[in-house]
């Protein structure tokens, strides 16, 4: 048989329909009548047989190398764009936005004299009302509510502005004879003693807690005319009817009970600002053989924001770290270590100040370069916020209200609550899964990953309820503007902003492109998040809430604060990493529920507590009818987070 003429791989592949990857799988062996053949390991190839140019010509090899180089550079450029997404080239949309912002600012300048006149009139009117109320109530008048406190004082019967914080105190189970109410009675007595000793003594560190919230002449104000005692503030929780022989309640029964309690009025016809309810009936954890006694800390939002109220809870009722035998020593200045260190620091500073030269003292007075740079950045930020504020108001006025099955037009006076607590004794860590996931895409935030998981859960819920999920919805994202001070202060230092949340289906584990589809979903959420963070929305809303809302009387303020744009509010609060204790028992499963405001009928919260994720949801029954439906939204979010973990394991 005549020897066949040697051909290249691409010539052979064109006639045989064999891919280059199949040849690679066969180790680039010499082709035969049916393509490349597997060469036994014991056979030694000649120099000609081992040459690559028999398969690929120099021109084709150059093309292949160029293709590989192109794909490599394309990958690197894509990653660079992701890491430097804030460096955007100006396009037509940016130009139009800049022109729109400039024109709205000119419009603001034209009407600013009228606006300033209106604000000045209401400021004078507010001062006059304050004078009248001070004269009417005398020394009991403690001032008008200021800033964001007023925002939460504007409430109605269907949605009272209260934050509910729930936790469990655990006790090992021995036998049912020991479940006689003594544990809950001990917790109740301990809380009353601690609140009395720490907060209700002659010198009250937080007197605002015990003031009465009232409204007269259209303005809310504080007074100290409350006659409530510690027994009025700290009481037993309502009980659940149980069958004969049962000593504990199920979790679904506790959900139903808290759904009835969370929107209930506070003591003194809702003029008080807080209360603590201690559960008599425990939950029973059969796996761990543990009893869990629920405690509900209910606080009106006008008293402070979530960070301040969480600190108040932990500082007021939990065990102190200082041993009891040292407490009486701390009252003596000579034995107080903090006092000694403070005095030594003051003395050292005085000695240094005496020896300073004139130039050294001047140098200390003058600001440093870093301080000047910080002041410059702050001034630029303020100027930019003022410049973009008119465009912000135009955007809000033109924003369309959401249209979906959980967006309320009118709320009912009935709520549902549910929660999911990550077990502190389990080996899982939803927080770590979210942190690892956000590292996949540079610049991604913790909240972006959580919102992506929540998006898939909402998509499944919408499909079940209406079979037509919306493409996106609007969420309210609170954020704290000012840093927390070393000493607790009860005030509201937060702002809110609206963000669009794309609704997309969950991760399909049988999809070959699941990694790409998932990263695309995160980028979609991140795009809206980046846009919000780069805007002045938070700062503008903070100025409005802290400086302007307190000027107007209640009737006008209700109309100003009425908003129908958003569907749900999401609050992310970092909690303590170490579990505090009450009577030596760890405080477990700490979670909180934010109030509904306006027509935003659903509130979802996440708290990182002891390194574990605690989720909560509070919704109006006008949009979510049962606790099980509310629970399914949280459960779907957790299931999506666990699917993220599976994707991470595949990488």
């Amino acid at each position: 048989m005549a020897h066949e003429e040697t051909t290249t791989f691409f010539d052979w592949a064109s006639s045989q329909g064999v891919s280059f990857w199949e040849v690679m799988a066969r180790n680039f062996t010499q082709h035969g009548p049916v393509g490349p053949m597997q060469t036994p390991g014991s056979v030694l190839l000649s120099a000609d047989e081992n040459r690559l140019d028999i398969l690929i010509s120099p021109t084709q090899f150059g093309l292949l190398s160029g293709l590989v180089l192109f794909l490599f550079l394309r990958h690197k450029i894509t990653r660079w764009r992701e890491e430097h997404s804030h460096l955007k080239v100006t396009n037509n949309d940016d130009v139009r936005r800049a022109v729109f912002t400039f024109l709205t600012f000119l419009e603001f300048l034209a009407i600013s004299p009228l606006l300033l006149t209106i604000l000045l009139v209401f400021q004078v009117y507010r001062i006059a009302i304050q004078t009248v109320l001070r004269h009417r109530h005398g020394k009991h008048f403690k001032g008008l509510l200021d800033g964001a406190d007023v925002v939460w004082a504007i409430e109605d019967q269907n949605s009272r502005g209260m934050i509910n914080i729930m936790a469990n105190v655990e006790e090992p189970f021995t036998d049912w004879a020991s479940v006689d109410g003594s544990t809950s009675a001990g917790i109740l007595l301990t809380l009353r003693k601690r609140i009395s000793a720490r907060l209700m003594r002659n010198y009250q560190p937080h007197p605002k807690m015990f003031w009465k919230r009232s409204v007269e002449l259209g303005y809310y104000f504080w007074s100290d005319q409350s006659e409530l005692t510690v027994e009025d503030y700290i009481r037993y929780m309502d009980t659940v009817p149980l069958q004969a022989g049962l000593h504990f309640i199920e979790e679904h029964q506790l959900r139903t009970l808290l759904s009835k309690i969370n929107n209930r009025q506070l003591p003194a016809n809702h003029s008080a600002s807080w209360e603590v309810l201690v559960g008599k009936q425990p939950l029973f954890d059969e796996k761990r053989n543990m009893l869990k006694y629920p405690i509900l800390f209910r606080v009106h939002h006008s008293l402070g924001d979530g960070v301040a109220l969480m600190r108040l809870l932990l500082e007021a009722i939990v065990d102190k770290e200082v041993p009891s035998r040292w407490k009486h020593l701390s009252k003596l200045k000579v034995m107080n270590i903090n006092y000694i260190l403070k005095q030594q620091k003051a003395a050292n500073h005085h000695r240094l100040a005496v020896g300073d030269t004139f130039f050294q003292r001047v140098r200390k007075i003058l600001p440093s370069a870093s301080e000047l740079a910080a002041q410059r950045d702050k001034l630029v930020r303020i100027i930019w916020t003022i410049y973009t504020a008119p465009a912000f108001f135009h955007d809000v006025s033109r924003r369309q209200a959401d249209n979906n099955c959980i967006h309320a037009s009118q709320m009912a006076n009935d709520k549902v609550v549910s929660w999911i607590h990550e077990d502190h004794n389990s080996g899982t860590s939803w927080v770590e899964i979210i942190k690892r996931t956000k590292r996949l895409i540079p610049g991604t935030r913790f909240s972006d990953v959580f919102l992506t998981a929540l998006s898939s859960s909402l998509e499944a819920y919408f499909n079940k309820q209406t079979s037509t999920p919306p493409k996106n919805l609007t969420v309210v994202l609170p954020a704290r503007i000012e840093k927390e001070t070393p000493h607790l202060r009860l005030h509201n230092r937060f702002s809110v902003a609206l963000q669009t949340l794309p609704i997309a289906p969950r991760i399909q584990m049988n999809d070959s492109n699941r990694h790409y589809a998932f990263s695309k979903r995160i980028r979609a959420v991140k795009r809206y998040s980046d846009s919000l963070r780069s805007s002045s929305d938070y700062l503008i809303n903070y100025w409005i809430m802290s400086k302007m809302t307190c000027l107007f009387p209640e009737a006008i303020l209700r109309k100003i604060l009425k908003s129908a744009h958003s569907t749900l509010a999401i609050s992310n609060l970092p909690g303590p990493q170490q579990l505090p204790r009450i009577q030596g028992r760890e405080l477990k499963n700490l979670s909180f529920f934010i109030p509904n405001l306006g027509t935003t009928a659903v509130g979802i919260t996440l708290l990182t507590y002891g390194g574990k994720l605690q989720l909560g949801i509070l919704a109006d029954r006008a949009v979510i009818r049962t606790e099980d439906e509310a629970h399914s939204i949280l459960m779907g979010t957790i299931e999506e987070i666990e699917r993220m973990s599976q994707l991470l394991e595949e990488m």
Side-chain angles (χ1 to χ4, degrees):
M1 183 174 61
H3 178 68
E4 296 182 2
E5 184 180 356
T6 302
T7 59
T8 65
F9 160 73
F10 285 104
D11 294 333
W12 171 83
S14 299
S15 61
Q16 299 295 329
V18 180
S19 70
F20 173 68
W21 309 112
E22 183 177 348
V23 178
M24 291 180 61
R26 300 185 182 187
N27 301 323
F28 283 104
T29 55
Q30 186 179 6
H31 58 81
V34 291
M37 298 181 298
Q38 184 70 29
T39 303
S42 60
V43 177
L44 297 177
L45 298 177
S46 64
D48 290 339
E49 290 175 328
N50 204 25
R51 287 168 52 194
L52 185 61
D53 60 354
I54 295 178
L55 299 175
I56 304 177
S57 67
T59 303
Q60 293 164 340
F61 182 76
L63 291 174
L64 180 62
S65 301
L67 177 62
V68 173
L69 180 62
F70 168 75
L71 294 176
F72 174 77
L73 292 176
R74 181 183 178 186
H75 170 72
K76 288 298 183 182
I77 292 173
T78 302
R79 292 300 300 266
W80 185 89
R81 287 177 176 175
E82 292 173 355
E83 294 176 2
H84 301 82
S85 58
H86 59 285
L87 302 176
K88 297 181 180 178
V89 180
T90 303
N91 52 31
N92 292 334
D93 292 337
D94 295 331
V95 173
R96 284 195 294 268
R97 182 65 186 180
V99 173
F100 173 74
T101 303
F102 178 71
L103 293 178
T104 53
F105 181 71
L106 292 180
E107 180 185 18
F108 167 74
L109 290 179
I111 64 174
S112 57
L114 176 62
L115 296 177
L116 292 176
T117 302
I118 294 174
L119 294 177
L120 182 61
V121 169
F122 278 107
Q123 175 67 26
V124 173
Y125 180 68
R126 183 176 186 270
I127 294 174
I129 295 297
Q130 186 175 14
T131 304
V132 172
L133 293 176
R134 181 179 288 110
H135 177 74
R136 180 180 295 180
H137 296 278
K139 64 178 183 179
H140 297 294
F141 178 76
K142 298 301 178 181
L144 299 176
L145 270 69
D146 59 349
D149 295 351
V150 181
V151 174
W152 292 105
I154 303 295
E155 58 183 4
D156 52 43
Q157 185 178 1
N158 296 338
S159 180
R160 297 185 175 93
M162 287 175 295
I163 295 178
N164 292 268
I165 305 173
M166 187 191 71
N168 293 325
V169 175
E170 294 189 346
E171 182 182 53
F173 171 73
T174 54
D175 55 74
W176 292 118
S178 62
V179 187
D180 55 359
S182 59
T183 300
S184 57
I187 295 173
L188 181 75
L189 183 60
T190 298
L191 295 183
R192 285 177 175 176
K193 287 182 177 180
R194 289 181 178 178
I195 294 293
S196 297
R198 298 175 184 178
L199 302 177
M200 300 180 71
R201 56 183 185 267
N202 292 333
Y203 169 72
Q204 296 180 351
H206 309 294
K208 185 179 177 181
M209 283 185 64
F210 307 100
W211 289 347
K212 180 181 178 181
R213 187 181 61 259
S214 306
V215 57
E216 291 183 17
L217 304 178
Y219 285 84
Y220 286 89
F221 66 96
W222 299 107
S223 69
D224 63 355
Q225 293 175 304
S226 175
E227 298 179 355
L228 297 176
T229 63
V230 69
E231 288 78 13
D232 298 316
Y233 286 112
I234 305 176
R235 311 186 311 276
Y236 278 121
M237 190 182 296
D238 300 353
T239 58
V240 176
L242 296 176
Q243 297 179 359
L246 289 180
H247 300 84
F248 64 93
I249 59 175
E250 301 288 347
E251 190 167 280
H252 70 88
Q253 293 175 307
L254 182 60
R255 289 196 187 100
T256 303
L257 177 60
L258 295 190
S259 297
K260 297 177 181 178
I261 293 176
N262 72 85
N263 198 46
R264 196 166 61 187
Q265 287 190 350
L266 289 167
N269 197 24
H270 203 56
S271 63
S273 295
W274 64 279
E275 68 176 356
V276 179
L277 303 178
V278 179
K280 284 185 176 181
Q281 301 164 309
L283 299 166
F284 180 49
D285 188 344
E286 190 173 357
K287 292 182 180 179
R288 299 173 50 234
N289 202 33
M290 194 74 67
L291 297 174
K292 300 190 291 186
Y293 289 87
I295 299 177
L296 187 63
F297 189 53
R298 307 182 67 232
V299 193
H300 200 278
H301 213 322
S302 62
L303 188 63
D305 55 32
V307 175
L309 297 179
M310 193 67 71
R311 281 189 63 183
L312 174 65
L313 167 66
L314 297 177
E315 293 182 11
I317 68 174
V318 301
D319 299 346
K320 295 291 186 181
E321 298 298 330
V322 180
S324 58
R325 64 179 181 273
W326 293 353
K327 289 183 179 179
H328 69 282
L329 296 178
S330 63
K331 298 178 182 179
L332 303 175
K333 290 185 177 180
V334 294
M335 297 296 293
N336 192 322
I337 301 300
N338 292 329
Y339 177 80
I340 294 173
L341 294 177
K342 186 176 180 180
Q343 291 297 105
Q344 288 179 350
K345 184 177 179 181
N348 293 335
H349 177 74
H350 176 71
R351 286 195 295 269
L352 291 174
V354 171
D356 287 345
T357 64
F358 172 77
F359 293 103
Q360 289 174 331
R361 290 195 295 269
V362 171
R363 184 179 178 182
K364 289 182 179 180
I365 296 174
L366 294 177
S368 63
S370 59
E371 292 174 342
L372 289 175
Q375 292 295 329
R376 179 202 60 198
D377 294 341
K378 183 178 180 180
L379 180 61
V380 170
R381 187 167 61 252
I382 292 174
I383 294 175
W384 179 252
T385 301
I386 295 174
Y387 176 70
T388 57
F392 165 79
F393 291 121
H394 274 273
D395 292 338
V396 172
S397 63
R398 294 184 303 170
R399 192 180 188 110
Q400 297 293 325
D402 286 354
N403 183 19
N404 55 70
C405 64
I406 61 173
H407 180 78
S409 57
Q410 187 174 2
M411 288 194 287
N413 186 20
D414 200 2
K415 310 295 179 181
V416 296
V417 300
S418 188
W419 57 84
I420 289 181
H421 299 142
E422 186 177 7
D423 191 358
H424 287 86
N425 300 292
S426 67
T428 62
S429 180
W430 298 332
V431 175
E432 286 303 316
I433 294 173
I434 295 177
K435 288 181 178 179
R436 289 171 57 198
T437 303
K438 78 183 185 69
R439 297 190 195 107
L440 297 177
I441 301 177
T444 304
R445 301 172 182 84
F446 187 95
S447 58
D448 295 337
V449 179
F450 178 80
L451 288 174
T452 303
L454 176 63
S455 167
S456 67
S457 178
L458 291 173
E459 194 270 346
Y461 180 83
F462 286 133
N463 270 327
K464 185 177 180 181
Q465 298 295 323
T466 63
S467 71
T468 54
K471 293 183 178 180
N472 52 62
L473 52 80
T474 305
V475 298
V476 180
L477 295 179
R480 211 163 201 271
I481 299 300
E482 298 182 6
K483 293 183 179 179
E484 186 67 10
T485 58
H487 299 286
L488 173 61
R489 294 182 60 191
L490 294 179
H491 53 197
N492 281 284
R493 291 295 181 265
F494 75 100
S495 181
V496 296
L498 301 179
Q499 178 176 323
T500 300
L501 176 63
I503 302 300
R506 67 184 186 181
I507 300 171
Q508 302 295 330
M509 298 306 298
N510 57 354
D511 183 6
S512 59
N513 294 322
R514 55 186 176 274
H515 293 276
Y516 171 76
F518 176 62
S519 63
K520 184 178 179 181
R521 285 176 50 204
I522 293 184
R523 288 190 180 94
V525 175
K526 181 179 179 295
R527 191 178 306 114
Y528 287 108
S529 177
D530 291 342
S531 176
L532 174 61
R533 295 306 194 280
S534 62
S535 69
S536 302
D537 293 9
Y538 276 113
L539 196 54
I540 294 172
N541 280 327
Y542 179 68
W543 282 359
I544 294 173
M545 296 171 66
S546 61
K547 305 299 181 183
M548 297 178 60
T549 54
C550 59
L551 299 179
F552 302 101
E554 180 188 16
I556 297 177
L557 197 56
R558 284 186 181 274
K559 297 183 180 297
I560 295 176
L561 296 177
K562 186 176 181 180
S563 174
H565 300 102
S566 57
T567 295
L568 57 89
I570 301 175
S571 180
N572 178 12
L573 192 63
Q577 295 306 303
Q578 294 183 346
L579 303 185
R581 296 173 179 267
I582 295 180
Q583 291 183 321
R585 304 180 181 94
E586 287 186 339
L587 202 63
K588 295 284 190 71
N589 305 133
L590 186 66
S591 56
F592 69 106
F593 310 94
I594 55 177
N596 302 140
L597 183 63
T599 58
T600 305
V602 182
I604 295 177
T605 60
L606 59 153
L607 174 72
T608 307
Y609 181 59
K612 300 293 184 178
L613 194 64
Q614 320 289 317
L615 300 183
I617 182 172
L618 184 147
D620 194 272
R621 287 192 189 272
V623 295
I624 298 180
R625 295 180 295 274
T626 65
E627 289 81 9
D628 290 339
E629 289 184 8
H631 190 75
S632 68
I633 295 177
L634 299 183
M635 198 65 217
T637 305
I638 295 302
E639 290 172 353
E640 184 72 357
I641 292 175
E642 292 177 344
R643 281 189 286 269
M644 294 178 187
S645 177
Q646 296 180 34
L647 288 185
L648 292 173
E649 293 175 357
E650 295 176 356
M651 294 181 178

